[in-house]
Amino acid sequence: SLFAEMLHIGTDAAALRAAARAPLAAALAEYCPRERIAELLRALPARVPLVDAMRYLDVKLTLANGMLVKVDRASMAVSLEVRAVFLHRDMLALAGRIPADRLLHDGIPKHALKQALRAWLPDDLLFRRKRGFTAPVGRWMRSDAAPGPAPERGLDEYLDPALLGGLRRDHARSDADRSRAI
């Protein structure tokens, strides 16, 4: 299940299974992230370049059930129309024909795309550092500035509150950012 996949990012499967309750425990009993990835990779033809296998996994695991759903919900919440132009079938077919060595060149990701756009966009925009759209959850958890209740509240029906409480305490006491696990 997607919920199990998202939770698994921050902790190992055994710890998550031990802390899981009710419907989450049932879902996790049958779920193995490594087996899901192996199953997807078995569907690929033999000798697929690593970068192509990674792109395939990204589409199957990240886009459909994660990023696209979040973008859709967030945009609908503010009546904003969003088009994922890079997911048009013609664009995907074109991207699939780009040789792997052209995708990452001299350590620059999306090299072919950036070269194609240089006629229209300035280099300082094309080659700037990647920025995310995430809330500063890690900083909030180390202060009293966090909006709303502690993250573990409301999840008691799914997880043992001691697991999340322990992660939150570890996060607050150390320099490590445990916000993703939380």
Side-chain angles (χ1 to χ4, degrees), residues 21-182:
R21 295 179 174 182
L24 181 58
L28 289 174
E30 302 295 321
Y31 177 76
C32 175
R34 287 187 180 148
E35 181 51 39
R36 175 69 179 129
I37 291 170
E39 173 188 323
L40 289 168
L41 290 176
R42 283 192 293 270
L44 289 173
R47 299 181 192 237
V48 169
L50 177 62
V51 72
D52 290 335
M54 291 170 61
R55 288 194 288 185
Y56 175 76
L57 289 175
D58 198 32
V59 167
K60 292 292 188 178
L61 296 173
T62 308
L63 285 175
N65 295 319
M67 291 180 188
L68 293 177
V69 172
K70 291 172 187 158
V71 167
D72 189 48
R73 288 181 183 156
S75 64
M76 285 190 301
V78 294
S79 300
L80 180 66
E81 185 66 31
V82 175
R83 298 277 184 223
V85 295
F86 289 119
L87 295 179
H88 187 279
R89 69 178 153 269
D90 294 341
M91 290 295 287
L92 287 172
L94 173 64
R97 292 191 302 269
I98 299 172
D101 64 331
R102 296 287 314 262
L103 296 174
L104 180 69
H105 181 73
D106 291 334
I108 301 170
K110 302 176 188 168
H111 178 72
L113 176 63
K114 290 176 182 185
Q115 290 304 313
L117 295 174
R118 278 185 107 171
W120 296 282
L121 296 174
D123 283 356
D124 61 331
L125 179 66
L126 286 173
F127 298 98
R128 72 179 180 190
R129 244 180 92 115
K130 186 175 179 177
R131 294 192 219 171
F133 296 103
T134 59
V137 175
R139 188 178 40 143
W140 286 345
M141 285 187 220
R142 285 196 178 87
S143 73
D144 293 330
E152 62 268 18
R153 290 190 199 124
L155 292 176
D156 293 355
E157 123 182 43
Y158 297 102
L159 292 170
D160 176 0
L163 172 71
L164 289 171
L167 287 171
R168 194 162 196 234
R169 281 189 299 279
D170 289 347
H171 176 83
R173 283 192 293 235
S174 72
D175 290 334
D177 185 352
R178 303 288 287 160
S179 57
R180 190 166 180 174
I182 295 167

